[in-house]
């Protein structure tokens, strides 16, 4: 009699074979499904992380279209004439900027030491202002320069304390734009 028939005819051996085959099948399924379950759990965790990220980026995405529309309208306007320095050439625009800075400093009661034009790429005009100011005058000057018109940007600033700490020696580099082809329309 073949060995398989011997095992199948004996109830104890057939039961052991049944349980061994079930255990082997269960182990095979477990070995195959365990990595798949881990992969599924990893994918769910990644999906949750991406959902959180998407929720965080949603406000930014909503602003994108509004900002693109605003940028297009500003480009179409080509800026307002008041945003640019006046003057038909870079030298005239630089003189205009020097005059504007000196007037702002003097209007605040501070002392202008010097103003000078720095080399720059047209249509940018850069001027360096050296002045003696107080803390309050410095705040007011920075507010007037960056918040006023024409649009100016402070590109460099150096401050040293004067005698007694009441006055400050200020060196301020300011850049503005002149409209190509002239100062204003």
């Amino acid at each position: 009699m073949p060995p398989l028939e011997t095992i199948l005819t004996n109830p104890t051996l057939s039961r052991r074979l049944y349980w061994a085959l079930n255990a082997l099948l269960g182990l095979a399924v477990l070995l195959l499904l365990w990595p798949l379950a881990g992969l599924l759990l990893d994918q769910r965790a990644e999906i949750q992380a991406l959902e959180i990220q998407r929720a965080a980026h949603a406000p930014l995405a909503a602003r994108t279209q509004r900002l693109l529309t605003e940028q297009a309208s500003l480009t179409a306007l080509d800026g307002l004439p008041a945003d640019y320095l006046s003057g038909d050439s870079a030298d005239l625009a630089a003189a205009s900027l020097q005059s504007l800075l000196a007037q702002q400093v003097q209007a605040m009661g501070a002392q202008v030491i010097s103003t000078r034009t720095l080399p720059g790429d047209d249509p940018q005009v850069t001027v360096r202002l050296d002045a003696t100011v107080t803390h309050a005058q410095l705040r007011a000057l920075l507010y007037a320069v960056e918040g006023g018109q024409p649009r100016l940007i402070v590109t460099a600033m150096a401050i040293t304390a004067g005698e007694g700490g009441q006055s400050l020696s200020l060196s301020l580099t300011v850049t503005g734009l002149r409209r190509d082809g002239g100062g204003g329309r």
Side-chain angles (χ1 to χ4, degrees):
M1 185 184 247
L4 185 57
E5 281 183 29
T6 309
I7 292 173
L8 290 176
T9 55
N10 186 338
T12 306
L13 289 178
S14 66
R15 216 175 293 130
R16 284 184 184 167
L17 179 62
Y18 171 77
W19 286 113
L21 288 176
N22 280 337
L24 189 60
L25 183 61
L27 185 60
V29 168
L30 186 64
L31 288 175
L32 291 174
L33 290 182
W34 188 267
L36 292 176
L39 182 62
L40 181 64
L41 291 175
D42 288 346
Q43 286 178 344
R44 282 189 181 169
E46 189 174 340
I47 288 171
Q48 287 176 345
L50 291 173
E51 292 273 340
I52 291 170
Q53 213 174 26
R54 183 183 59 82
H57 290 137
L60 296 175
R63 286 186 7 192
T64 302
Q65 188 58 40
R66 182 179 52 84
L67 291 173
L68 289 173
T69 304
E70 184 178 338
Q71 182 185 31
S73 67
L74 290 175
T75 302
L77 287 176
D78 190 30
L80 301 173
D83 289 338
Y84 295 93
L85 294 167
S86 61
D88 292 333
S89 69
D91 292 333
L92 290 174
S96 172
L97 180 55
Q98 285 177 317
S99 173
L100 175 68
L101 291 174
Q103 288 172 2
Q104 288 177 340
V105 170
Q106 289 169 350
M108 293 172 195
Q111 179 185 0
V112 175
I113 296 172
S114 69
T115 60
R116 62 182 162 271
T117 303
L118 300 177
D121 297 329
D122 200 26
Q124 288 185 351
V125 177
T126 304
V127 169
R128 180 174 172 177
L129 166 76
D130 294 317
T132 303
V133 296
T134 64
H135 291 275
Q137 290 168 339
L138 174 61
R139 280 191 304 272
L141 177 63
L142 290 175
Y143 180 77
V145 167
E146 288 196 330
Q149 287 191 338
R151 303 263 181 212
L152 302 173
I153 298 171
V154 174
T155 54
M157 181 170 60
I159 302 171
T160 55
E163 293 179 28
Q166 294 297 321
S167 65
L168 302 170
S169 293
L170 171 67
S171 179
L172 192 68
T173 304
V174 177
T175 300
L177 293 176
R178 73 175 192 88
R179 189 180 295 275
D180 287 331
R185 287 186 206 175

